[in-house]
Amino acid sequence: MKKITWLISLIVLVSLLLTACGGGAQSHLEKIKQAGVIKVGTSADYPPFEYVDENGNKAGFDIELMEEIAKRMGVKVEWVDMPFDSLIAGVQEGKIDCSISAFNYTEERDKVVDFSEAYYTAEDAFLVAETFTGSITKPEDVAQYKVGVQSGTTQDDWLTNVLQIPEQNLSRYDRADQAALDLKSGRIDVMMADAIPAKALAQKIGGLKIVYTGVLSSGPMNIVLPDGDTELAQAINDILKQLQQEGFIDQLAQKYFTE
Amino acid sequence: MTDSPYILQAKNLTKIYGENVIFKDISLDVKKGETIVIIGPSGTGKSTLLRCLNLLTPVNSGQIFLEGEEITAHGVDHDQVRQKIGMVFQNFLLFNHLTALGNVMIGLTKVKKMPTEKAKQKALHELERVGLADRAHHYPAQLSGGQQQRVAIARALAMDPLVMLFDEPTSALDPELIGEVLGVMEQLAHEHMTMLVVTHEMGFAREVADRIIFMEKGRIVEQGSPEELFEHPQHARTREFLGKISELYGKKEKK
Amino acid sequence: MINQFFAYILQGTSVTVAVTLVALPLGLILGLLFALIYNYGGFWVSRFAAVYSLVMRGVPPIALLFILYFLLSGQMVNLSPFWAGSISLGIISSAYQMEILRGALQAVGEGQMIAARAIGMTRLQAIRYIIIPQAIRLAIPPWSNEASIVLKDSSLVYAIGVPEILRRAQQLSATTQQPFLAFGAAALIYFVLVFLVNRGLDLLAEKTKLPASMA
Ligand SMILES: Nc1ncnc2c1ncn2[C@@H]1O[C@H](COP(=O)(O)OP(=O)(O)OP(=O)(O)O)[C@@H](O)[C@H]1O
Ligand SMILES: [Mg+2]
């Protein structure tokens, strides 16, 4: 028993020494700036947030946002593509500097990593025809109507699994605009979508209105940062605030969530 | 010590496997150039004795001397000793992945570190000695039993051993193939190779052996020249065994 | 479009091949070492080899990969994802290759060792010049199987950020919503790779095959 305690303290000591030698007095942020590169993990299989376009390049809302953040930090992004489940471990163990991958805050994750301020909150909206006579005052109300949704989206997931809407009342579409057209023609009563594209669709197609907006199918999104790395968190939060004020994030949302 | 008249000497060898005493206090003196045939019933410890003599199996007590040097002493390099004692097995045990030539060469190149070309010449010479120069590039599977055993003899001879041990070299052979192997052995005897042969081939024993040893139950019962043993055996057990063996192997003896 | 699509997935092939080229020989060297100490080592070392085999065959490759990459790498040595992945797979494979070689070594037979010792070879010489050349021949067919498994398992490195064939297929499946096409392309590439490996080893087996026994 004693021997083991002794051994463990030796290992701890050695690793401390090693870290000390490698690290010096430099902070994480300083190291990133000195290297001129920030290693950012993402799981590029979640369009439109992060994906690989037909040329094999990374693209998406998160990707472009992070590139802009890095630019303002004066560094370049080195993208590290990992499956979603590996990203937290990657940040935790310092294999990547941070991760942006449409992460929502959860308490379990917060135990091992830190989160930036929310950079985007995906709001959902219920869209109806202007002639709609029913009443939707709270989200549960949609369960009594015929609902349309783009298949495979977080809204689809929410309607199916949280609201558990009967299958015969749910129509799934490949594209959001198909659903909007069916809404106008009366084949469905309500359509659920991301708030930003929903607004854009209502304008484009005409004769539609939004009856409810709220955060339902997904929460605010945050960048995942190493536990206790307040300096990096501060730097990123400051830039996020600027981007928000300048309307950069809204523009990005328009670009990626409206079609 | 070194100018001992005996090339191989065993003193009071005892071998025990677990509870089984295989043989006890066996002593044996082999003169240079002598051909000794060991006979005896199955399970008597003949094979075990041969394996002890070339240190493939350790003895429990006793000493073995090769050219007067004790090879059972501490610190003796067994691998070096085995180079000087050739062994031929009942089931040939050729290296399956090597040709006849390769089988004979490998001891020369890997153990004696002889240059390849020189080893090849020597190996071919040894194959010629056993009449198989034309089979040099055949693999064991492509050779008959008799041919395989002759390659095995050539493989042992290539190491220039001081003594050759044969453990029933013809018992696994079809009757028509026995002659060619015995022929090679007879020729070796004429060339004054020192040989210890365990065999049931009484014809060979009678004609080639300088001395015959009759072993039973881990003891040497009787030994002497072929004439002494075959014509005037001293012990009843020897007579009995010889009677049985000529009954069993009588037909083969005619060669 | 389809062309680019396929080309993107195909680029992952170099990763798959590179990981396999590290993992398989590493597994062979370790596996042979452990098979030898299992068969010829003393009591304790051979016990150790047996336990090694048991443990490594029991560990899911992904677990070892995570331990090596996320936990160990960075403490003592700094392993890139590629090396961490290749080494983990090599270690796991070594346990399977050990079992293959252990069987092959045993199948060579006691007699070959005795005959080798009888002409004065040391144990090591006998193992090297007599036992191993025969065992390797016996091991090629089952080894070919193991090679295919390592080739396919190499996709695991995507879990720590090395984008090989399968990961690229996943990405394109997400982008294009055409999983059938994306994974079909990946499967096709794997099929070709496995086919080539097996064919290659068949040829090797054919080339090194010893002549059959006389009729
Ligand atoms: N490795 C071993 N472990 C235990 N016992 C053994 C071993 N080798 C041989 N024996 C036993 O030793 C005894 C003598 O065997 P050995 O092979 O020396 O007899 P042999 O005289 O050569 O008989 P055969 O004519 O059948 O070849 C036998 O009872 C055998 O079972
Ligand atoms: Mg015997």
Side-chain angles (χ1 to χ4, degrees):
Chain A
M1 196 57 210
K2 250 184 187 164
K3 226 180 200 170
I4 286 182
T5 327
W6 192 82
L7 195 71
I8 288 173
S9 17
L10 186 77
I11 291 171
V12 169
L13 192 73
V14 168
S15 51
L16 276 179
L17 278 175
L18 287 176
T19 345
C21 293
Q26 254 186 345
S27 73
H28 188 202
L29 181 63
E30 280 164 357
K31 265 191 270 175
I32 291 170
K33 288 198 164 157
Q34 195 178 38
V37 172
I38 185 164
K39 277 174 104 171
V40 185
T42 193
S43 179
D45 53 10
Y46 191 60
F49 288 96
E50 42 267 322
Y51 57 96
V52 172
D53 68 18
E54 56 276 10
N55 298 316
N57 298 317
K58 296 223 166 40
F61 178 86
D62 285 350
I63 304 293
E64 219 170 300
L65 174 62
M66 193 67 220
E67 301 267 6
E68 183 64 24
I69 293 172
K71 199 164 110 192
R72 296 190 183 205
M73 285 168 73
V75 297
K76 276 212 159 80
V77 177
E78 180 189 330
W79 288 108
V80 179
D81 172 65
M82 287 184 185
F84 190 74
D85 296 332
S86 300
L87 290 169
I88 297 279
V91 173
Q92 210 184 333
E93 300 301 330
K95 300 298 173 190
I96 44 184
D97 295 313
C98 65
S99 175
I100 186 165
S101 207
F103 272 104
N104 295 135
Y105 173 92
T106 68
E107 263 175 44
E108 289 102 81
R109 287 173 184 162
D110 198 23
K111 283 180 193 145
V112 291
V113 290
D114 278 355
F115 287 90
S116 73
E117 299 292 334
Y119 59 83
Y120 177 71
T121 302
E123 270 188 315
D124 304 293
F126 292 125
L127 212 59
V128 295
E130 269 166 3
T131 55
F132 181 68
T133 52
S135 135
I136 296 173
T137 51
K138 53 186 192 305
E140 294 75 28
D141 294 344
V142 302
Q144 353 162 7
Y145 301 103
K146 285 191 157 146
V147 187
V149 72
Q150 186 180 0
S151 75
T153 56
T154 53
Q155 292 82 17
D156 182 4
D157 186 58
W158 185 82
L159 288 167
T160 312
N161 296 315
V162 180
L163 203 60
Q164 298 187 338
I165 209 164
E167 274 296 309
Q168 71 270 17
N169 276 358
L170 186 64
S171 309
R172 295 189 178 85
Y173 298 85
D174 279 346
R175 300 202 313 267
D177 58 335
Q178 294 169 331
L181 288 171
D182 268 9
L183 187 62
K184 197 178 176 186
S185 70
R187 252 177 239 129
I188 53 174
D189 304 318
V190 191
M191 169 185 169
M192 187 180 182
D194 272 323
I196 292 170
K199 251 175 251 167
L201 268 177
Q203 269 170 16
K204 199 169 102 190
I205 290 173
L208 303 177
K209 63 178 182 187
I210 287 172
V211 285
Y212 180 93
T213 42
V215 179
L216 299 173
S217 65
S218 71
M221 291 172 190
N222 322 69
I223 297 172
V224 170
L225 300 160
D227 206 23
D229 195 343
T230 48
E231 201 185 0
L232 181 61
Q234 189 62 52
I236 287 179
N237 283 336
D238 287 348
I239 296 171
L240 279 176
K241 200 184 266 174
Q242 284 173 21
L243 292 175
Q244 219 109 40
Q245 282 163 358
E246 292 169 19
F248 181 88
I249 292 182
D250 283 343
Q251 278 167 22
L252 269 191
Q254 286 289 346
K255 175 173 170 188
Y256 282 101
F257 306 139
T258 314
E259 65 216 12
Chain B
M1 275 274 274
T2 0
D3 40 62
S4 150
Y6 301 110
I7 198 158
L8 184 70
Q9 240 183 332
K11 285 187 183 161
N12 305 95
L13 299 186
T14 299
K15 177 68 189 176
I16 303 166
Y17 274 128
E19 302 270 275
N20 274 2
V21 178
I22 309 301
F23 50 75
K24 197 169 187 302
D25 278 336
I26 282 205
S27 295
L28 187 69
D29 300 320
V30 184
K31 279 185 283 200
K32 192 171 183 332
E34 204 178 7
T35 298
I36 297 177
V37 166
I38 302 173
I39 58 174
S42 183
T44 296
K46 306 179 299 286
S47 296
T48 308
L49 178 63
L50 291 194
R51 282 155 159 271
C52 286
L53 288 177
N54 79 342
L55 307 180
L56 277 175
T57 309
V59 286
N60 294 79
S61 66
Q63 295 167 297
I64 303 168
F65 297 86
L66 185 66
E67 289 192 307
E69 304 279 355
E70 188 188 343
I71 58 176
T72 38
H74 264 297
V76 172
D77 183 345
H78 291 192
D79 301 312
Q80 210 112 65
V81 170
R82 281 192 216 102
Q83 290 182 43
K84 297 186 212 157
I85 304 177
M87 178 120 180
V88 175
F89 303 89
Q90 184 173 345
N91 48 351
F92 331 136
L93 296 182
L94 287 185
F95 305 132
N96 297 315
H97 64 304
L98 299 175
T99 59
L101 184 65
N103 265 277
V104 183
M105 271 177 77
I106 196 154
L108 297 172
T109 52
K110 302 305 179 195
V111 179
K112 294 208 160 183
K113 315 276 184 214
M114 196 182 273
T116 312
E117 201 42 47
K118 206 173 147 207
K120 192 174 166 186
Q121 290 316 314
K122 176 148 174 71
L124 279 172
H125 170 73
E126 299 299 346
L127 283 174
E128 216 161 294
R129 259 174 104 180
V130 300
L132 285 174
D134 58 331
R135 292 286 186 275
H137 298 291
H138 286 55
Y139 282 88
Q142 298 169 305
L143 297 170
S144 73
Q147 291 170 332
Q148 287 189 54
Q149 193 61 297
R150 282 145 72 198
V151 174
I153 294 171
R155 174 175 72 182
L157 287 176
M159 303 303 286
D160 291 328
L162 297 169
V163 185
M164 286 280 287
L165 309 177
F166 294 84
D167 189 3
E168 303 199 33
T170 57
S171 338
L173 294 177
D174 289 339
E176 69 271 22
L177 301 175
I178 291 174
E180 60 188 72
V181 174
L182 291 181
V184 167
M185 291 166 62
E186 203 172 323
Q187 174 201 324
L188 284 178
H190 286 312
E191 292 168 12
H192 303 293
M193 169 59 72
T194 311
M195 303 200 286
L196 248 77
V197 184
V198 174
T199 186
H200 297 298
E201 295 297 328
M202 291 305 135
F204 176 84
R206 200 188 285 269
E207 277 161 41
V208 183
D210 299 307
R211 181 154 44 118
I212 297 178
I213 294 176
F214 174 57
M215 256 180 92
E216 191 181 46
K217 293 190 182 132
R219 287 182 317 113
I220 293 178
V221 175
E222 183 170 355
Q223 55 179 308
S225 69
E227 212 199 39
E228 285 168 343
L229 227 85
F230 282 117
E231 311 304 335
H232 317 287
Q234 302 294 303
H235 291 260
R237 286 295 302 131
T238 318
R239 271 195 294 277
E240 212 175 298
F241 177 75
L242 286 173
K244 255 190 214 149
I245 210 88
S246 54
E247 229 173 78
L248 262 170
Y249 291 83
K251 283 174 216 140
K252 281 191 211 164
E253 261 186 60
K254 289 177 191 117
K255 279 202 255 177
Chain C
M1 158 70 190
I2 296 280
N3 254 342
Q4 266 174 331
F5 191 104
F6 193 74
Y8 180 71
I9 296 178
L10 197 61
Q11 280 164 28
T13 308
S14 59
V15 174
T16 301
V17 170
V19 169
T20 306
L21 283 181
V22 174
L24 211 51
L26 178 69
L28 179 62
I29 292 166
L30 285 178
L32 184 58
L33 203 74
F34 278 105
L36 288 173
I37 66 176
Y38 182 91
N39 274 14
Y40 300 109
F43 180 78
W44 285 110
V45 282
S46 93
R47 286 288 77 196
F48 173 74
V51 170
Y52 174 86
S53 158
L54 205 64
V55 170
M56 289 310 168
R57 281 180 299 145
V59 173
I62 189 99
L64 188 66
L65 185 68
F66 272 42
I67 290 170
L68 203 64
Y69 182 64
F70 287 128
L71 299 182
L72 298 184
S73 161
Q75 310 280 357
M76 318 280 165
V77 275
N78 217 343
L79 288 177
S80 71
F82 171 81
W83 283 103
S86 306
I87 291 172
S88 320
L89 283 174
I91 288 174
I92 301 269
S93 176
S94 76
Y96 289 94
Q97 296 194 49
M98 167 187 161
E99 295 301 322
I100 291 170
L101 291 164
R102 190 164 74 101
L105 288 169
Q106 264 156 13
V108 170
E110 194 101 14
Q112 295 285 309
M113 174 60 93
I114 292 172
R117 300 306 299 276
I119 56 169
M121 284 196 181
T122 63
R123 246 166 111 74
L124 273 179
Q125 284 176 325
I127 289 169
R128 176 158 168 215
Y129 299 117
I130 306 301
I131 309 292
I132 289 180
Q134 297 185 54
I136 293 287
R137 285 179 168 85
L138 295 174
I140 292 176
W143 199 78
S144 167
N145 193 35
E146 175 63 14
S148 317
I149 290 172
V150 170
L151 194 74
K152 286 186 281 186
D153 275 356
S154 71
S155 72
L156 280 177
V157 297
Y158 88 77
I160 54 172
V162 187
E164 44 60 72
I165 297 171
L166 204 61
R167 177 60 179 163
R168 285 163 182 263
Q170 270 181 1
Q171 291 172 341
L172 287 195
S173 159
T175 306
T176 61
Q177 294 294 321
Q178 288 183 300
F180 194 76
L181 198 58
F183 290 110
L188 184 68
I189 297 171
Y190 277 115
F191 172 78
V192 170
L193 289 177
V194 168
F195 178 80
L196 289 177
V197 167
N198 286 355
R199 262 323 273 149
L201 286 170
D202 281 353
L203 285 178
L204 184 69
E206 196 62 41
K207 251 190 103 140
T208 56
K209 195 177 156 189
L210 295 172
S213 190
M214 291 200 321

